[in-house]
């Protein structure tokens, strides 16, 4: 459909109601069970292709006409954030920064990348150095800096616009451009590093995440968020000694925190080390860890040590204190039986599923990582 639009843009523009009617009819026929979010994301993406391929003058009046027809086909009739951002980026590329800012400001803080795009509009305008525009240059630069500082401190959510989720989209390019610039403006602003690290995680850019974490840990060695993220990254990269060093640092800074104690338990489990695990378990009991998550972690430790019989004995203890209607425990029981009694292939899959599931369950019950969102 994108290819058709680009090759026949004049025909599409001349018959917008018919074109969008064809789009919705095709969606309804081809994907009758498509959920509302995916349905509307498709229409947004198609509308973006029309807007970027148009040969008409990039005016607000023309774009509003396209958006009116696009909105009629959407299921969520009031959700036009993505469409407004698409228009703003097209206006930005056309050099109409003032109007682009108007479209973006309607959705400020909906997605942190929109804030960065607002700052970008101000920053580009600040480059003007001649005539009347030159007198406004410093004011626009101040606005750009204020917007990035506001982004760092207000912590809006990220990546709520599905159409722009791909790594190399224009919106993401603008975000990283302004992020790098903001680090030169505010090198001591921890909130900038925080939002950058969260974005690298979403983009699955491990190299960039490591680089940002390295700078953040050096500059903010007692920051709980950066320590926890550095620990998770070390675990992901299987760097046990570095993870142990971070746990030691976390114990010095936050000895009573559940994040710290759970990190110690997790590291001991992954290393199949009963003695360090027992030490952290004692601390966890003292600090009020719930009993069921601890018994499930005991089970995971026995699994990591390849003690099948002992793992089920630990799990039986967890079942005793769980509610009779705890369907999660029932599901875990089936998975654990697959690990104990299944063939080699099923055993490996069941082991992985059990360990991953218990890890997520414990983090949810202990509310670990909630402050990182």
């Amino acid at each position: 459909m994108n290819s058709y639009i680009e090759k026949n843009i004049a025909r599409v523009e001349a018959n917008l109601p018919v074109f969008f009617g064809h789009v919705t009819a095709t969606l309804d026929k081809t994907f009758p069970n498509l959920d509302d979010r995916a349905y509307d994301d498709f229409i947004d993406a198609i509308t973006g292709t029309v807007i970027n391929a148009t040969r008409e003058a990039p005016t607000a009046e023309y774009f509003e006409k396209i958006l009116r027809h696009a909105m009629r086909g959407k299921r969520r009739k009031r959700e036009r954030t993505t469409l407004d951002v698409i228009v703003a980026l097209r206006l930005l590329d056309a050099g109409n920064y003032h109007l682009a800012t108007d479209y973006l400001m309607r959705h400020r803080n909906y997605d942190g990348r929109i804030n960065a795009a607002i700052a970008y509009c101000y920053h580009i305008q600040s480059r003007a150095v001649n005539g009347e525009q030159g007198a406004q240059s410093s004011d626009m630069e101040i606005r750009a800096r204020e917007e990035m500082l506001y982004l760092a401190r207000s912590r809006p959510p990220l990546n709520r616009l599905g159409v722009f989720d791909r790594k190399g989209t224009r919106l993401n390019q603008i975000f990283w451009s302004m992020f790098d610039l903001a680090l030169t403006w505010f090198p001591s602003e921890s909130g900038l590093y925080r939002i950058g690290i969260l974005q690298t995680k979403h983009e699955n850019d491990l190299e960039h995440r490591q680089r940002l974490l390295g700078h953040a840990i050096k500059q903010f060695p007692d920051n709980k968020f950066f320590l926890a993220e550095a620990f998770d990254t070390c675990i992901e990269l299987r760097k046990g000694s570095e993870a142990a060093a971070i746990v030691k640092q976390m114990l010095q800074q936050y000895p009573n925190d559940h994040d710290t104690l759970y990190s110690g338990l997790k590291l001991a489990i992954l290393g199949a080390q009963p003695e360090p695990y027992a030490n952290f378990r004692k601390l966890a009991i003292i600090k009020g860890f719930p009993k069921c998550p601890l018994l499930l972690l005991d089970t995971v430790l026995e699994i990591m040590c390849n003690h099948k019989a002992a793992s089920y004995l630990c799990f039986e203890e967890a079942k005793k204190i769980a509610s009779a209607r705890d369907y999660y425990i029932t599901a875990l029981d089936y998975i654990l039986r697959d690990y104990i009694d299944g063939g080699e292939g099923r055993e490996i899959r069941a082991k992985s599923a059990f360990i991953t599931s218990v890890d997520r369950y414990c983090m949810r019950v202990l509310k670990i990582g909630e402050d990182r969102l």
Side-chain angles (χ1 to χ4, degrees):
M1 195 167 283
N2 281 340
S3 178
Y4 172 82
I5 293 168
E6 291 164 357
K7 292 176 181 178
N8 301 276
I9 185 61
R11 184 181 301 177
V12 170
E13 289 176 319
N15 299 278
L16 287 172
V18 174
F19 171 75
F20 280 104
H22 174 67
V23 172
T24 55
T26 301
L27 275 177
D28 292 337
K29 181 179 179 180
T30 311
F31 304 104
N33 300 316
L34 203 61
D35 66 83
D36 291 353
R37 175 65 183 270
Y39 189 99
D40 288 353
D41 278 352
F42 186 87
I43 292 178
D44 288 343
I46 290 300
T47 307
T49 303
V50 174
I51 287 173
N52 289 316
T54 183
R55 298 172 185 173
E56 297 285 337
T59 63
E61 292 76 13
Y62 181 69
F63 290 143
E64 284 297 323
K65 183 173 75 171
I66 296 176
L67 264 55
R68 281 197 302 272
H69 292 298
M71 289 300 297
R72 290 193 187 107
K74 295 183 69 167
R75 291 177 178 172
R76 298 173 298 172
K77 301 298 183 182
R78 295 185 179 182
E79 184 49 67
R80 60 173 273 169
T81 305
T82 300
L83 292 176
D84 280 349
V85 174
I86 289 170
V87 168
L89 293 177
R90 180 69 177 82
L91 289 166
L92 194 156
D93 288 339
N96 195 338
Y97 306 116
H98 179 74
L99 189 54
T101 304
D102 286 346
Y103 271 92
L104 293 168
M105 286 297 290
R106 301 173 189 177
H107 310 285
R108 188 183 189 216
N109 261 34
Y110 179 85
D111 185 316
R113 295 173 299 173
I114 295 176
N115 297 63
I118 293 170
Y120 182 78
C121 288
Y122 292 143
H123 176 65
I124 293 298
Q125 291 178 82
S126 75
R127 292 179 173 179
V129 292
N130 52 14
E132 184 180 346
Q133 288 181 319
Q136 301 173 1
S137 177
S138 60
D139 178 59
M140 287 297 177
E141 182 74 1
I142 290 171
R143 289 188 186 184
R145 296 187 182 211
E146 287 177 341
E147 189 61 34
M148 290 306 294
L149 192 59
Y150 177 73
L151 168 61
R153 295 179 177 177
S154 63
R155 297 182 185 178
L158 291 166
N159 304 297
R160 296 182 67 188
L161 306 171
V163 169
F164 297 104
D165 259 3
R166 296 186 309 282
K167 187 174 179 179
T169 61
R170 181 77 169 115
L171 187 62
N172 286 343
Q173 290 173 351
I174 288 172
F175 171 84
W176 286 117
S177 172
M178 292 309 300
F179 174 82
D180 291 339
L181 191 57
L183 283 183
T184 68
W185 292 336
F186 312 110
S188 299
E189 184 59 46
S190 63
L192 276 174
Y193 284 97
R194 179 190 182 100
I195 204 166
I197 289 165
L198 289 174
Q199 186 63 20
T200 60
K201 290 180 69 176
H202 181 81
E203 294 181 5
N204 199 27
D205 190 340
L206 186 57
E207 183 179 347
H208 196 178
R209 191 204 321 172
Q210 285 181 273
R211 191 161 59 250
L212 289 178
L213 276 170
H215 290 303
I217 291 290
K218 287 179 182 178
Q219 197 158 357
F220 314 100
D222 60 346
N223 186 293
K224 177 184 169 184
F225 172 85
F226 299 134
L227 289 172
E229 288 293 336
F231 173 80
D232 289 347
T233 302
C234 287
I235 293 298
E236 188 176 340
L237 295 171
R238 300 184 179 182
K239 295 182 177 180
S241 58
E242 292 184 22
I246 293 171
V247 170
K248 184 177 180 180
Q249 191 172 349
M250 293 172 76
L251 281 169
Q252 293 171 348
Q253 301 288 346
Y254 304 97
N256 301 319
D257 194 88
H258 279 190
D259 244 316
T260 300
L261 299 179
Y262 186 73
S263 295
L265 289 166
K266 187 172 181 176
L267 184 61
I269 287 172
L270 293 174
Q273 299 173 313
E275 187 174 341
Y277 176 82
N279 294 333
F280 277 104
R281 193 183 194 281
K282 290 175 185 177
L283 288 173
I285 292 172
I286 294 171
K287 301 305 176 184
F289 268 46
K291 195 170 183 181
C292 189
L294 276 178
L295 290 170
L296 289 176
L297 290 173
D298 292 346
T299 305
V300 172
L301 176 67
E302 298 298 345
I303 290 174
M304 291 298 294
C305 294
N306 293 316
H307 300 158
K308 291 187 176 182
S311 69
Y312 200 76
L313 289 175
C314 290
F315 186 71
E316 284 292 302
E317 292 299 313
K319 286 171 64 177
K320 289 178 184 177
I321 65 170
S323 166
R325 294 179 60 82
D326 193 329
Y327 301 118
Y328 175 66
I329 293 294
T330 302
L332 282 182
D333 197 350
Y334 282 106
I335 297 172
L336 187 60
R337 289 178 186 275
D338 256 8
Y339 163 69
I340 295 171
D341 301 324
E344 184 177 346
R346 290 174 64 188
E347 175 186 327
I348 294 172
R349 291 193 297 271
K351 178 179 179 179
S352 175
F354 190 94
I355 293 171
T356 301
S357 181
V358 169
D359 179 37
R360 292 176 180 172
Y361 168 79
C362 290
M363 290 183 71
R364 181 175 62 82
V365 170
L366 297 169
K367 298 182 178 179
I368 291 171
E370 288 186 358
D371 58 343
R372 300 192 221 170
L373 299 177

